[in-house]
Amino acid sequence: MNFRFSEEVAAAREAGKPLVALETSVVAQGLPYPHNLEAARECEEAVRREGAVPAAIAVIDGEVWVGLEVEQLRRLAEGGPRLMKLGSRDLPVAVAFGRTGGTTVSATCEIAARAGIRVFATGGIGGVHRGAAEHFDLSQDLWALSKFPVAVVCAGAKSILDLPKTLEVLETAAVPVIGVGTREFPSFYSRTSGIVLEHQGDDAAGAAAIVRARFDGLGQGGLMFAVPPPEETALPHAEVELHIARALEEAAKQGIKGKATTPFLLAEVARRTSGRSLRANLALLQNNARFAGALAVALGGAR
Ligand code: PSU
Ligand code: MN
């Protein structure tokens, strides 16, 4: 399958410049308009400031795009009922039927890997949902991390998830999880989670050394770099837990299931924190994009 490239990404590929993939489900489903569009553009700027080139990924009218023009981003941001939330398994359907949608972590990892992009920034990955023993909801993101050779920079897994189980699955899948400047697994809105990580990297140079070793034949899939969210906007872990418990009750009451779960819970927590979680989300997205940019530069352009 041929991908389409934005002008900026096409030029970067030509010149062998370092690229950073960005997901767009966070634009199409994760954040409200117009914050989603602003966040996307700020992430792109953060990547550029580090000397790398951003490549937002999406499917537009059945074509897989690597790098988006602002009008394409705007279309995803403005939303609409026909916009799809695209995990890896949805990609063939979206392409076959000429559909448009934002890519989640799984689909973004897949497309980035195929385009030769080794670094990808997102907010928080999907993982094992709470109550998984009953409903078995495990995000495709976990499968994608184990399969595609991409370094995923995030603020941990979204705290609406069961974090210990998410980390167990990542261990089973042999995905390295590395705290950036921290030994504690961040929990998306919060810098803490009470979960101690085995591995730590302190800066982009250290992270790049780990990525190089991994892609040099040690293991097959990706890696996760967990960056704590910025202090100024991060929320206390205990407070977030209370809001999530209420949000989960509400989801159960309304019969929210499957793909709708993550966007519903994120919106519900934002409502319950009067937008403070939204601010934290925006800040951590940009912070992760910044670190991903530095990592891509440390890794160098050509593979
Ligand atoms: N991070 C955010 N907001 C989001 C997401 C991540 O800050 O909306 C998206 C990602 O695209 C992730 C998806 O892959 O949520 C996970 O959805 P699910 O749990 O349905 O797999
Ligand atoms: Mn799911």
Side-chain angles (χ1 to χ4, degrees):
M1 165 155 328
N2 291 326
F3 293 166
R4 304 284 307 266
F5 298 98
S6 65
E7 264 175 48
E8 185 185 19
V9 169
R13 284 164 58 89
E14 195 90 342
K17 282 197 193 156
L19 287 155
V20 172
L22 300 169
E23 61 140 312
T24 50
S25 176
V26 63
V27 178
Q29 284 89 26
L31 294 170
Y33 184 83
H35 302 286
N36 50 3
L37 182 59
E38 259 163 54
R41 305 209 64 194
E42 277 166 15
C43 285
E44 293 189 327
E45 267 316 303
V47 169
R48 288 189 194 104
R49 275 197 299 275
E50 297 300 317
V53 175
I57 288 174
V59 178
I60 310 279
D61 299 324
E63 291 185 304
V64 176
W65 280 86
V66 178
L68 296 175
E69 309 297 347
V70 65
E71 281 319 308
Q72 295 173 312
L73 266 180
R74 185 183 301 282
R75 193 169 148 196
L76 294 172
E78 284 173 351
R82 282 187 56 79
L83 271 192
M84 292 178 80
K85 173 177 167 180
L86 301 169
S88 271
R89 72 168 185 164
D90 310 308
L91 291 172
V93 180
V95 168
F97 295 155
R99 299 284 301 270
T100 297
T103 51
T104 65
V105 170
S106 62
T108 310
C109 281
E110 175 164 3
I111 294 165
R114 289 269 314 281
I117 301 176
R118 293 172 296 177
V119 181
F120 161 29
T122 180
I125 66 156
V128 179
H129 281 267
R130 299 183 190 203
E134 289 301 315
H135 52 56
F136 244 84
D137 189 347
L138 277 75
S139 175
Q140 274 170 85
D141 294 358
L142 297 168
W143 165 87
L145 268 160
S146 74
K147 188 165 173 74
F148 302 111
V150 176
V152 178
V153 178
C154 59
K158 284 192 284 287
S159 43
I160 54 170
L161 301 167
D162 185 323
L163 297 184
K165 288 197 182 77
T166 298
L167 285 167
E168 289 297 342
V169 171
L170 287 168
E171 182 181 353
T172 303
V175 175
V177 178
I178 294 125
V180 176
T182 181
R183 205 56 192 258
E184 184 164 353
F185 192 54
S187 55
F188 194 59
Y189 299 126
S190 316
R191 295 171 66 84
T192 59
S193 65
I195 302 171
V196 178
L197 292 173
E198 205 174 334
H199 303 299
Q200 181 175 338
D202 280 328
D203 52 20
I210 300 169
V211 174
R212 264 191 229 104
R214 171 81 164 172
F215 293 169
D216 194 23
L218 294 176
Q220 299 179 331
L223 321 83
M224 187 212 272
F225 288 97
V227 184
E231 195 121 45
E232 310 78 67
T233 49
L235 304 180
H237 183 60
E239 184 200 332
V240 174
E241 281 302 308
L242 288 176
H243 295 308
I244 290 171
R246 297 286 101 76
L248 284 166
E249 282 169 16
E250 191 58 37
K253 211 188 299 169
Q254 295 188 30
I256 307 286
K257 282 201 212 69
K259 276 182 148 176
T261 306
T262 295
F264 177 87
L265 293 176
L266 292 176
E268 194 57 21
V269 172
R271 193 177 67 75
R272 285 170 191 274
T273 57
S274 323
R276 282 189 302 132
S277 73
L278 180 59
R279 270 200 297 287
N281 200 341
L282 297 173
L284 68 86
L285 278 163
Q286 201 177 329
N287 191 51
N288 294 345
R290 182 192 56 73
F291 184 75
L295 173 57
V297 169
L299 275 172
R303 198 189 263 261

